Amino acid sequence: MVLWWLLLQNSLQYSDGRVEIVDVPKAFTVGDVVAVTHRRDGGVVVQRVSPPLYSAGIEIYLGEFLSGEQVRVRFASIASGNTDIGTLTFQFLYGESGVSEQTYNIPSGNYWQAELVTHTFTLPYDSEVTFRIIANVLSGVWYVIDYLDYYYPTARRGELLPDGNFESGSFGDGITQWKKLGAKTEIVLNPSYDSSYACKFYG
């Protein structure tokens, strides 16, 4: 058994650079580290051996939504300054392996911006949904988010996400508290309001 990295839906790259084309289940996504076993009958068994690795990120379970319902999240943020900060990728995970995602440049500016929103995700069928934020923050800078709620046209608009203002003060299981996905992610005192918490991503 050897380790490979998934390049495309049916391409596996070995650590020495060799590439093999195989039938890979759709449950895998680009960047997964997988173990490949070649059977004597010519078949190939592919298994994920680790979750995707992120330097910074969080996720939370949103609950069940009906087919056709839309999900969109609004949040407030502040950055360390007016230089380039990095990117944010927002993912809505649904069903067995469904992912709706979009990547944005992180807005710079050492002041609170309150009306930032994700893309709108429309449920293709009834499903539970988990919301994930992956932050790719440049070295030497930071980005803080707070107060995440549902935004128009979501049916739940105006409602806070679970632990949407990070008032639990810590990370948890991803159900009632945000799950931490990368080492460069912290729950911190809000830089503008010392009595409340926020989430900080840094490079």
Side-chain angles (χ1 to χ4, degrees):
M1 187 170 68
V2 293
L3 293 183
W4 302 68
W5 283 263
L6 192 63
L7 288 179
L8 300 172
Q9 203 59 58
N10 62 345
S11 299
L12 297 170
Q13 182 178 27
Y14 189 50
S15 56
D16 65 4
R18 289 174 293 158
V19 174
E20 181 181 17
I21 307 299
V22 298
D23 290 329
V24 179
K26 291 185 179 180
F28 297 105
T29 57
V30 174
D32 283 352
V33 179
V34 296
V36 179
T37 303
H38 292 270
R39 300 190 314 219
R40 291 181 182 175
D41 64 4
V44 177
V45 177
V46 181
Q47 296 176 300
R48 182 185 289 111
V49 296
S50 70
L53 300 177
Y54 307 115
S55 61
I58 54 176
E59 72 176 30
I60 194 79
Y61 174 72
L62 300 183
E64 296 184 6
F65 290 81
L66 300 177
S67 176
E69 283 195 296
Q70 296 177 306
V71 187
R72 193 181 191 195
V73 175
R74 174 177 58 178
F75 61 100
S77 73
I78 187 171
S80 56
N82 293 317
T83 60
D84 290 338
I85 302 297
T87 61
L88 285 181
T89 298
F90 301 108
Q91 295 181 336
F92 294 101
L93 313 178
Y94 62 97
E96 289 291 322
S97 59
V99 180
S100 173
E101 73 173 36
Q102 196 149 347
T103 299
Y104 300 83
N105 289 326
I106 294 175
S108 60
N110 191 233
Y111 55 89
W112 280 102
Q113 301 179 59
E115 293 291 327
L116 301 173
V117 295
T118 69
H119 65 292
T120 301
F121 165 52
T122 302
L123 272 291
Y125 47 79
D126 296 357
S127 179
E128 297 178 316
V129 176
T130 293
F131 177 58
R132 178 182 291 164
I133 301 173
I134 302 165
N136 182 15
V137 179
L138 300 176
S139 178
V141 295
W142 52 261
Y143 186 63
V144 171
I145 63 171
D146 198 5
Y147 204 86
L148 292 93
D149 66 357
Y150 294 100
Y151 192 61
Y152 179 86
T154 309
R156 302 179 188 179
R157 60 184 175 271
E159 294 180 24
L160 273 178
L161 270 62
D163 201 23
N165 55 8
F166 302 98
E167 285 308 302
S168 67
S170 62
F171 291 114
D173 59 5
I175 305 297
T176 59
Q177 293 174 289
W178 290 90
K179 181 179 180 180
K180 180 177 179 177
L181 298 180
K184 296 183 176 182
T185 309
E186 298 177 351
I187 298 291
V188 297
L189 286 175
N190 187 305
S192 300
Y193 308 98
D194 288 342
S195 61
S196 64
Y197 293 98
C199 181
K200 179 180 181 180
F201 306 120
Y202 57 94

